[in-house]
Amino acid sequence: MKRFLVALPLVVLFMMSCDGNKTTRNNDEDVLDDSVQMVDSDSLAKSVDDIPMPKAADELFDDFIFNFSANQKLQKERIVFPLTVTGEKKTKHIHKKEWKMENFFMRQGYYTLLFDNEKHMEIVKDTSVSHAVVEKIYFKSKQVKQYVFDRIRGSWMLTSIQTIPFDKALNSTFLPFYYQFATDKDFQQHHLSETVSFVGPDPDDDFSQMEGIITPDTWEAFAPQLPSKMIYNVIYGNPKFEGDHKVFVLRGIANGLELQMTFKRKGGVWKLTKLTT
């Protein structure tokens, strides 16, 4: 693996703009981007409805949620009806005939995750996890819609939905910071570590990566476009505290794209310490 010091601007090729002008909305008013290839979710659901989910998919939540998001028949079978839906002011119950297909991130071609650190990222491979929460994080309303899943008698089931404000979310301090970091270039500059570690593909060798250092004066050449209207997250297990480290992951669906940004909080201030592409 090569090491280098960034002296000249290098362009990080991230072929995904996350703030286009054209928008597509579903029932939750998710704002999606015009430059991301959209998926016809209705056609997709119909095409896979008759394909049974592999039994092994219940072992890992990631395997299950992709099947759940794409298969309408399976989805209705894996919801505890009547489903309890709790908002800030009221609670209601949705019956099976009222349920509308939820495709989550399958509509947009990428998804995002937040981890406490790089080691914590291994939890996605932990077969002992029996509780998970898929979060839709809305920055305009400062609310988090949480889809709660539990593994019951070996099968993952959607057991409830709840909407909470940012200040009650697990990542309560990081979410407002992330939004400003994603939308304000000056704010970005002031929230970079003195040096930011960089790991990326070697343009001279398809099978190798190179490491280096990004300084604030070269940041603009590396700064990726980040989603700023709504992002997803998955909470695996039952973490209790936010912690002072965060790894923001943006991962393409079936296209191999991945971006990782590592942040650390010191003295109550979050700063970017590492960028991996």
Side-chain angles (χ1 to χ4, degrees), residues 77-96:
E77 292 173 350
R78 293 304 187 91
I79 299 175
V80 176
F81 290 112
L83 183 67
T84 301
V85 180
T86 305
E88 290 190 71
K89 296 181 179 180
K90 63 179 181 179
T91 297
K92 65 179 181 179
H93 296 88
I94 296 178
H95 295 271
K96 189 172 185 178

Side-chain angles (χ1 to χ4, degrees), residues 25-30 32 41-42 44-45 48-49 64-76 78-79 81 83 85 94 96 98-108 134-136 138 145-149 158 160-161 230-232:
R25 297 177 183 269
N26 66 7
N27 292 333
D28 291 314
E29 296 188 344
D30 301 348
L32 304 178
S41 56
D42 292 334
L44 177 63
V48 299
D49 273 356
F64 163 76
I65 196 62
F66 274 93
N67 281 274
F68 182 88
S69 302
N71 189 319
Q72 189 172 30
K73 182 179 178 181
L74 171 70
Q75 189 166 118
K76 286 191 174 183
R78 293 304 187 91
I79 299 175
F81 290 112
L83 183 67
V85 180
I94 296 178
K96 189 172 185 178
E98 301 171 312
W99 178 254
K100 294 181 180 179
M101 179 71 174
E102 174 56 71
N103 297 105
F104 294 115
F105 40 74
M106 298 297 285
R107 283 179 169 269
Q108 61 187 29
V134 177
E135 295 187 314
K136 285 184 176 182
Y138 296 95
K145 190 172 185 178
Q146 298 182 319
Y147 295 75
V148 181
F149 293 84
L158 175 61
S160 66
I161 300 174
M230 187 274 289
I231 62 173
Y232 284 93

Side-chain angles (χ1 to χ4, degrees), residues 24-39:
T24 300
R25 297 177 183 269
N26 66 7
N27 292 333
D28 291 314
E29 296 188 344
D30 301 348
V31 181
L32 304 178
D33 310 307
D34 62 347
S35 58
V36 178
Q37 184 176 0
M38 302 299 294
V39 177

Side-chain angles (χ1 to χ4, degrees), residues 126-194:
D126 186 350
T127 58
S128 69
V129 172
S130 59
H131 177 82
V133 179
V134 177
E135 295 187 314
K136 285 184 176 182
I137 300 166
Y138 296 95
F139 290 104
K140 185 177 180 180
S141 62
K142 296 182 179 179
Q143 291 184 321
V144 181
K145 190 172 185 178
Q146 298 182 319
Y147 295 75
V148 181
F149 293 84
D150 292 286
R151 189 155 54 178
I152 301 172
R153 294 186 293 277
S155 298
W156 282 104
M157 303 288 293
L158 175 61
T159 55
S160 66
I161 300 174
Q162 59 186 16
T163 299
I164 60 174
F166 273 14
D167 60 3
K168 292 184 179 180
L170 178 65
N171 297 295
S172 59
T173 68
F174 183 77
L175 294 179
F177 162 79
Y178 167 83
Y179 175 73
Q180 197 164 358
F181 189 89
T183 57
D184 188 331
K185 290 184 178 181
D186 290 336
F187 185 84
Q188 278 188 15
Q189 284 285 345
H190 287 93
H191 289 80
L192 302 175
S193 290
E194 187 174 337

Side-chain angles (χ1 to χ4, degrees), residues 13 44 53 67 156 170 190 196 202 260 270:
L13 297 179
L44 177 63
M53 186 182 77
N67 281 274
W156 282 104
L170 178 65
H190 287 93
V196 177
D202 186 342
Q260 291 182 26
W270 288 100

Side-chain angles (χ1 to χ4, degrees), residues 227-273:
S228 60
K229 297 180 177 70
M230 187 274 289
I231 62 173
Y232 284 93
N233 183 40
V234 178
I235 300 173
Y236 302 85
N238 293 281
K240 303 297 182 184
F241 305 104
E242 183 174 21
D244 292 323
H245 293 73
K246 280 287 172 283
V247 180
F248 172 80
V249 177
L250 194 157
R251 189 169 291 161
I253 297 176
N255 58 16
L257 293 174
E258 181 158 334
L259 172 77
Q260 291 182 26
M261 303 178 76
T262 302
F263 298 87
K264 292 184 181 179
R265 180 171 55 179
K266 188 174 181 180
V269 179
W270 288 100
K271 289 193 174 184
L272 177 69
T273 61

